[in-house]
Amino acid sequence: MDNNFMLYNTLTREVQPLVPHEDGKLTMYTCGPTVYHFAHIGNLRTYIMEDVLEKSLRFYGYDVRRIMNITDVGHLSSDADTGEDKMLKGAKREHKTVMEVAKFYTDAFFADCGKLNIRRPDVVEPATSRIADFIEMVSALLDKGYAYVSGGNVYFDTGKLDDYFVFSSAVEREQLMVGVRDDVQEDENKRNKNDFVLWFTKSKFEDQALKWESPWGVGYPGWHIECSCIAIKNAGEYLDLHCGGVDNIFPHHTNEIAQSESYLGHKWCPHWFHVNHLNDQSGKMSKSNGDFLTLSVLEERGYLPLAYRMFCLQSHYRKPLVFSYENLDNVEGAYEKLVKKIATFSDEGGLDRVAYDEYRKKFVDAIASDLNTSMALTVVYDVLKADISDKTKRALITDFDGVLSLDLMTAGERLAESKGGADDELTAWIEEKLTERKEAKKNKDFAKADAIRDELTAKGISIKDTREGTVWEKI
Ligand code: AMP
Ligand code: ZN
């Protein structure tokens, strides 16, 4: 197949065609969540954009196999090898075991993904399910001379590589080599400043909950080895596309490349996709500072999860995105209008093949131009306005929604169906009450929201909050 799907590559700093190792097939690896807390809406931005990328590649014709890890051990409070294990921190905070915490937040993560129509990757593996393979990989790195044991830990020796800082410009390299980061305490066991831990047996934290036997003593893996190993075990020696958020570029992805290529003895993954951060007005949203927005908070305030998905799709993944309720309000209004309009299309008339092909091509051109999702949404609006049969419009929007996953065909229909059997005046009154109730929920005035529900019930109207919004019917 033609390989003209253009995508920015962090490794080459260019928008370039994605070229899989095996024609027509594409292996894609995504760094998964660290499950010590809820995912915040910043994390979810990254997963939404990776999901739309995966679906775009399938739409383009690739047979995609997507792999994701779940970080349930080894990710320390700092991305360098210092601080307490994040999982242990979560367990102490909640007076639970590490595995209970991991299960709870893994389930919560996939529940959020479900609400956002994020497809579950083909392979999902928690780090703790692959310990024997990590040990095998660390042993091989020691055998090949790329690793050393010091002070009880196994380290990767970055001094063995000609080019360790693969993502960094000359200036950045200089800063990374000499700069001392505030959050990093020097580890005297390291031969080179940027060496990183492959396996810990000695950590300052004696109460590390999960430990395994290894040739170097009882211990646990470093964070980076899990992604290299889970990717190689599932995708083989050549990975086509690796994804994550921009904070993963250094040190995590830099270290993944170092250890994977040293282990394999050849180049590993040619194309790297990174999603820029979602920020709030005060700066980057981060799980570790505890003050962050989750999807549940948005729902409690009356927002539709899919409105948040559309909010993300409206801006380009490489640009930082600032979250504000005002912007989300605008997007949600546009979303509701859009799906209601689509719901009015009948299934009549013939399919206009020429128009269908023309708009489909426009859509493909948008997604294959460095994943231009806002342009793809514009194509949806172009279809709505086009002078073509409703049947053609429905066919196109159904296809596009396979990528956008905004429930474009069903959300409005459900809202419309729920109104069967009421006259215009009653409908207008109910709509007004529902808007008031939504406003009350957004302002956390739940007493008022409940009172409105009661008022509706008294008039014989039952309401239900669904993923697509509040629907109502006559009792
Ligand atoms: P974590 O659960 O912390 O391992 O992060 C999960 C994913 O979210 C990673 O790919 C991160 O790079 C990404 N991420 C972290 N913070 C943000 C943010 N504020 N905006 C977008 N993505 C983020
Ligand atoms: Zn990773």
Side-chain angles (χ1 to χ4, degrees):
M1 61 182 286
D2 81 43
N3 289 316
N4 285 325
F5 194 105
M6 304 297 285
L7 193 65
Y8 183 80
N9 183 359
T10 318
L11 210 48
T12 57
R13 298 176 177 229
E14 276 174 17
V15 175
Q16 64 183 74
L18 190 56
V19 184
H21 190 70
E22 209 180 314
D23 193 34
K25 295 200 166 166
L26 200 140
T27 50
M28 173 175 176
Y29 184 85
T30 308
C31 289
T34 310
V35 284
Y36 72 112
H37 220 320
F38 291 108
H40 56 60
I41 59 170
N43 302 128
L44 294 171
R45 176 190 191 196
T46 292
Y47 293 108
I48 288 169
M49 298 319 290
E50 290 165 344
D51 178 70
V52 83
L53 173 61
E54 174 196 336
K55 288 170 179 166
S56 295
L57 293 167
R58 290 184 198 275
F59 195 74
Y60 197 78
Y62 288 113
D63 177 6
V64 180
R65 181 168 158 81
R66 169 133 175 239
I67 302 145
M68 187 171 87
N69 67 309
I70 300 285
T71 299
D72 57 357
V73 70
H75 192 172
L76 304 189
S77 298
S78 152
D79 278 355
D81 303 318
T82 57
E84 200 171 14
D85 186 315
K86 291 188 176 186
M87 294 304 300
L88 183 60
K89 225 168 135 178
K92 282 184 184 165
R93 184 185 65 231
E94 300 189 7
H95 307 290
K96 288 185 184 160
T97 67
V98 164
M99 285 331 274
E100 281 166 353
V101 170
K103 173 155 186 4
F104 179 82
Y105 288 114
T106 303
D107 291 348
F109 171 72
F110 283 115
D112 282 352
C113 288
K115 289 176 186 165
L116 291 165
N117 284 347
I118 296 172
R119 181 181 178 273
R120 192 182 167 95
D122 303 288
V123 177
V124 175
E125 286 187 355
T128 50
S129 71
R130 280 273 179 197
I131 301 292
D133 295 307
F134 303 163
I135 291 174
E136 187 261 325
M137 198 163 161
V138 175
S139 302
L141 287 168
L142 276 164
D143 289 348
K144 291 180 169 214
Y146 287 107
Y148 58 93
V149 179
S150 175
N153 298 330
V154 186
Y155 293 86
F156 185 90
D157 188 351
T158 56
K160 289 273 157 53
L161 303 184
D162 296 334
D163 190 16
Y164 166 66
F165 296 102
V166 285
F167 290 110
S168 315
S169 66
V171 176
E172 287 164 349
R173 280 166 202 241
E174 209 129 295
Q175 285 164 351
L176 288 168
M177 279 200 285
V178 296
V180 179
R181 287 168 45 191
D182 293 345
D183 58 340
V184 180
Q185 298 153 10
E186 284 306 323
D187 176 347
E188 286 174 2
N189 296 324
K190 290 185 183 181
R191 286 185 193 161
N192 311 287
K193 184 178 171 298
N194 290 290
D195 290 357
F196 55 93
V197 177
L198 297 166
W199 187 268
F200 287 97
T201 67
K202 291 274 181 305
S203 117
K204 284 177 290 179
F205 302 99
E206 292 301 325
D207 54 352
Q208 177 70 17
L210 299 176
K211 294 184 194 183
W212 293 264
E213 291 283 350
S214 82
W216 318 285
V218 176
Y220 60 100
W223 172 37
H224 317 293
I225 195 78
E226 69 178 82
C227 287
S228 290
C229 188
I230 290 174
I232 292 169
K233 288 289 165 190
N234 289 289
E237 291 197 11
Y238 297 94
L239 179 68
D240 297 316
L241 177 62
H242 197 307
C243 313
V246 285
D247 58 308
N248 287 154
I249 297 173
F250 188 85
H252 185 48
H253 289 166
T254 304
N255 291 349
E256 275 191 50
I257 292 179
Q259 63 201 1
S260 298
E261 296 189 350
S262 304
Y263 172 75
L264 294 167
H266 57 68
K267 290 279 173 206
W268 176 46
C269 179
H271 216 119
W272 291 73
F273 170 86
H274 291 106
V275 179
N276 213 319
H277 278 157
L278 179 86
N279 303 305
D280 55 27
Q281 260 99 354
S282 60
K284 181 197 157 200
M285 206 166 285
S286 131
K287 255 192 249 189
S288 50
N289 70 18
D291 177 25
F292 55 80
L293 269 177
T294 61
L295 192 64
S296 307
V297 171
L298 295 189
E299 281 183 288
E300 277 159 25
R301 296 184 78 156
Y303 289 102
L304 307 174
L306 291 183
Y308 180 64
R309 184 172 172 109
M310 179 143 150
F311 174 86
C312 292
L313 297 185
Q314 280 196 342
S315 86
H316 195 251
Y317 75 91
R318 276 205 281 140
K319 294 203 182 108
L321 177 59
V322 177
F323 178 80
S324 79
Y325 282 110
E326 201 187 339
N327 288 345
L328 188 59
D329 280 335
N330 290 336
V331 176
E332 189 169 77
Y335 175 69
E336 287 182 355
K337 230 165 126 184
L338 176 65
V339 294
K340 281 181 184 165
K341 174 79 188 154
I342 293 169
T344 64
F345 295 148
S346 71
D347 204 18
E348 273 144 36
L351 183 80
D352 181 343
R353 188 41 76 178
V354 176
Y356 175 86
D357 289 345
E358 181 196 329
Y359 284 101
R360 199 176 187 284
K361 181 174 180 315
K362 279 191 182 179
F363 186 83
V364 171
D365 286 348
I367 55 176
S369 303
D370 197 19
L371 199 67
N372 193 337
T373 46
S374 67
M375 179 70 84
L377 283 169
T378 305
V379 180
V380 172
Y381 283 101
D382 289 346
V383 167
L384 254 58
K385 284 186 294 195
D387 188 16
I388 54 178
S389 69
D390 278 9
K391 197 183 185 78
T392 312
K393 291 183 182 180
R394 286 174 64 99
L396 283 163
I397 289 166
T398 304
D399 271 7
F400 299 167
D401 202 44
V403 174
L404 302 172
S405 296
L406 291 167
D407 288 356
L408 292 177
M409 295 305 295
T410 50
E413 276 174 5
R414 274 190 69 172
L415 289 173
E417 261 168 32
S418 73
K419 290 168 186 54
D423 63 35
D424 286 353
E425 205 179 315
L426 180 61
T427 304
W429 179 79
I430 297 168
E431 296 280 339
E432 201 179 300
K433 288 285 150 193
L434 290 182
T435 310
E436 263 179 50
R437 181 168 170 270
K438 191 167 168 183
E439 204 52 41
K441 281 175 82 179
K442 272 182 194 162
N443 296 330
K444 293 199 177 287
D445 187 350
F446 298 111
K448 183 168 177 196
D450 288 345
I452 295 172
R453 177 193 283 271
D454 294 344
E455 198 182 342
L456 287 160
T457 313
K459 287 244 183 190
I461 304 299
S462 112
I463 61 171
K464 202 162 124 208
D465 293 319
T466 72
R467 229 165 48 159
E468 291 84 9
T470 305
V471 294
W472 59 266
E473 61 186 0
K474 278 180 143 185
I475 309 168

